[in-house]
């Protein structure tokens, strides 16, 4: 059994590596066929043709595509993702400076999803077809159907009219010095360095953008948790527990919630992976200055090296998130533990 589990796990990891390989190949080809010469973009319209040709040689664009791709993969495995065509700085340096902002925002968003949506799904299932259930389903539908940037704008308007002293722009007040730490996560670094003033300011600023991003996931997870709870209430062992007079709260929190947590956890993992690259609208509304908005700016500026790095890193987050989800779900429900055919 253990050998079969390890074999299946290794097979799943190999499959994820294959996905990353295909993704790298696709994004490399797309970057080479889109209109615009990377050398010309890097030098600007005033550069001479001789300068452009020299830059093409320096960037390796004069070599066959297969050699360019192999060089790109080799450099990427060493952590070298090239230089930004716009700023001239290493892409890795720019991403390292911007990724913590988005990562912190997405982590708080996922925590909000879990803290709000799962209890709401449990309550609506517990009081099925009551006014509580109808209200919860209404808000879940609103969360799923309304775009996140609409929530972001509404939250800013709400703060402007009712919470006039609430900060809604940027990650930290310009008068506060952010603590220096390798993590780059303000909430974590401020606690490590004992800077409660920074923690409070950063916490207040992250609440609204995280809530705007979380609304869609909250709607989905609430509905899925509710459906799973209602379905699992009909299982034989749950009915047996009820017949023996086991209290409802024990049945719900010890048995039903565990059975019903597989789908919500899957949604949260996928939301985490997708928001790493798709949070750019909310980041722009709140002037967050993170990895996702940098990816959008790179696309608009045709900064191909930066675009390729953003897409590849987003793909890595998807792969890692899926693998972590499989492991967590395997511990929750051993019947689903990375078996063959799943």
């Amino acid at each position: 059994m253990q050998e079969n589990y390890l074999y299946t796990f290794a097979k799943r990891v190999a499959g994820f590596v294959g996905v990353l390989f295909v993704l790298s190949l696709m994004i490399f080809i797309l970057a080479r066929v889109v209109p615009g010469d990377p050398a010309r973009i890097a030098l600007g319209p005033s550069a001479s043709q001789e300068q452009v040709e020299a830059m093409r040689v320096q960037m390796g664009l004069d070599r066959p595509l297969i050699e360019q791709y192999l060089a790109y993969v080799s450099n990427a495995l060493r952590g070298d993702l090239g230089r930004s065509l716009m700023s001239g700085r290493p892409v890795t340096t720019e991403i390292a400076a911007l990724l913590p902002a988005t990562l912190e925002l997405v982590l708080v968003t996922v925590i909000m999803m879990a803290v709000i949506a799962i209890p709401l799904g449990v309550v609506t299932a517990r009081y099925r077809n009551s006014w509580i259930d109808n209200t919860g389903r209404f808000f879940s539908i609103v969360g799923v159907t309304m775009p996140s940037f609409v929530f972001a704008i509404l939250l800013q308007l709400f703060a402007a009219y009712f919470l006039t002293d609430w900060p809604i722009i940027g990650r930290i007040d310009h008068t506060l010095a952010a603590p220096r730490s390798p993590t780059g996560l303000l909430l974590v670094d401020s606690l490590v360095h004992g800077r409660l003033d920074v923690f409070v300011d950063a916490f207040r600023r992250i609440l609204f953008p995280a809530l705007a991003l979380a609304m869609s996931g909250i709607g989905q997870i609430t509905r899925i948790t509710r459906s799973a709870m209602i379905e699992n209430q009909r299982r034989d062992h749950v009915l047996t527990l009820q017949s023996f007079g086991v209290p409802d709260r024990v049945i719900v929190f010890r048995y039903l919630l565990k059975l019903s947590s597989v789908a919500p956890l899957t949604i949260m993992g996928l939301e985490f992976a997708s928001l790493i690259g798709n949070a750019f609208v909310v980041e722009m509304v709140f002037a967050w200055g993170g990895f996702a908005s940098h990816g959008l700016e790179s696309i608009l500026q045709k900064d191909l090296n930066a675009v390729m790095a953003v897409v590849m890193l987003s793909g890595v987050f998807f792969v890692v998130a899926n693998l972590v989800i499989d492991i967590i779900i395997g511990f929750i429900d051993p019947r689903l533990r990375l078996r063959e055919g799943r």
Side-chain angles (χ1 to χ4, degrees):
M1 181 67 68
Q2 185 70 17
E3 292 180 358
N4 183 61
Y5 172 74
L6 293 175
Y7 169 76
T8 307
F9 180 79
K11 186 177 179 180
R12 183 63 59 84
V13 172
F16 287 151
V17 172
V19 170
L20 292 178
F21 166 74
V22 174
L23 177 63
S24 67
L25 184 61
M26 291 178 59
I27 189 61
F28 177 83
I29 293 175
L30 289 175
R32 292 299 183 268
V33 300
V34 294
D37 186 350
R40 172 63 68 180
I41 295 173
L43 293 176
S46 60
S48 65
Q49 188 60 34
E50 290 77 11
Q51 291 174 319
V52 172
E53 291 299 329
M55 177 59 71
R56 286 179 59 84
V57 173
Q58 181 180 342
M59 297 173 65
L61 299 177
D62 59 323
R63 292 182 289 177
L65 283 178
I66 184 64
E67 292 186 16
Q68 294 182 41
Y69 175 72
L70 293 176
Y72 168 73
V73 172
S74 176
N75 293 333
L77 291 176
R78 296 197 303 268
D80 181 7
L81 299 176
R83 290 185 172 271
S84 169
L85 302 183
M86 296 293 102
S87 66
R89 299 172 59 199
V91 173
T92 306
T93 302
E94 293 187 341
I95 290 179
L98 298 172
L99 182 59
T102 298
L103 187 59
E104 184 174 46
L105 176 60
V106 173
L107 286 173
V108 175
T109 298
V110 173
I111 293 173
M112 277 189 177
M113 290 180 189
V115 171
I116 298 175
I118 293 180
L120 187 58
V122 172
V123 171
T124 52
R126 177 68 178 82
Y127 299 97
R128 183 182 179 187
N129 296 327
S130 67
W131 68 270
I132 297 176
D133 184 24
N134 294 332
T135 303
R137 283 190 290 174
F138 170 76
F139 282 110
S140 66
I141 292 174
V142 172
V144 171
T145 56
M146 190 175 294
S148 59
F149 72 88
V150 176
F151 284 114
I153 295 173
L154 291 177
L155 287 171
Q156 284 200 332
L157 292 175
F158 175 80
Y161 280 97
F162 299 103
L163 303 173
T164 54
D165 61 339
W166 194 275
I168 55 176
I169 297 296
R171 294 183 68 197
I172 189 173
D173 190 277
H174 67 279
T175 61
L176 296 175
R180 294 185 178 182
S181 177
T183 67
L185 308 178
L186 289 179
L187 296 177
V188 175
D189 296 345
S190 58
L191 290 178
V192 171
H193 290 273
R195 295 288 304 278
L196 292 181
D197 54 339
V198 175
F199 177 83
V200 172
D201 185 70
F203 183 75
R204 295 176 67 194
R205 290 172 181 271
I206 204 172
L207 283 180
F208 280 0
L211 182 59
L213 284 176
M215 289 303 297
S216 176
I218 290 173
Q220 295 182 60
I221 296 168
T222 299
R223 297 174 63 186
I224 290 174
T225 304
R226 175 186 179 276
S227 300
M229 293 284 292
I230 293 174
E231 180 182 353
N232 288 322
Q233 284 175 354
R234 306 188 185 100
R235 292 183 178 270
D236 293 338
H237 66 283
V238 175
L239 297 176
T240 302
L241 290 171
Q242 291 175 342
S243 66
F244 278 106
V246 178
D248 287 344
R249 66 179 182 276
V250 176
I251 296 176
V252 169
F253 292 104
R254 183 173 295 182
Y255 299 100
L256 277 178
L257 189 56
K258 182 178 180 180
L259 287 172
S260 307
S261 61
V262 173
L265 285 174
T266 303
I267 295 297
M268 282 189 287
L270 295 178
E271 285 286 337
F272 170 80
S274 64
L275 287 176
I276 291 293
N278 296 335
F280 55 86
V281 177
V282 172
E283 285 190 355
M284 295 178 69
V285 171
F286 288 95
W288 196 252
F291 170 79
S293 55
H294 173 69
L296 179 62
E297 293 173 359
S298 301
I299 293 173
L300 296 177
Q301 296 176 351
K302 294 184 178 180
D303 192 342
L304 299 182
N305 289 338
V307 171
M308 293 170 64
V310 168
V311 174
M312 280 304 303
L313 190 56
S314 300
V316 169
F317 273 105
F318 260 106
V319 167
V320 173
N322 275 277
L323 187 59
V324 172
I325 290 169
D326 284 339
I327 295 173
I328 294 175
I329 291 176
F331 280 106
I332 293 176
D333 192 345
R335 298 171 302 174
L336 304 176
R337 188 174 295 170
L338 294 173
R339 64 177 181 263
E340 289 290 339
R342 182 171 179 262

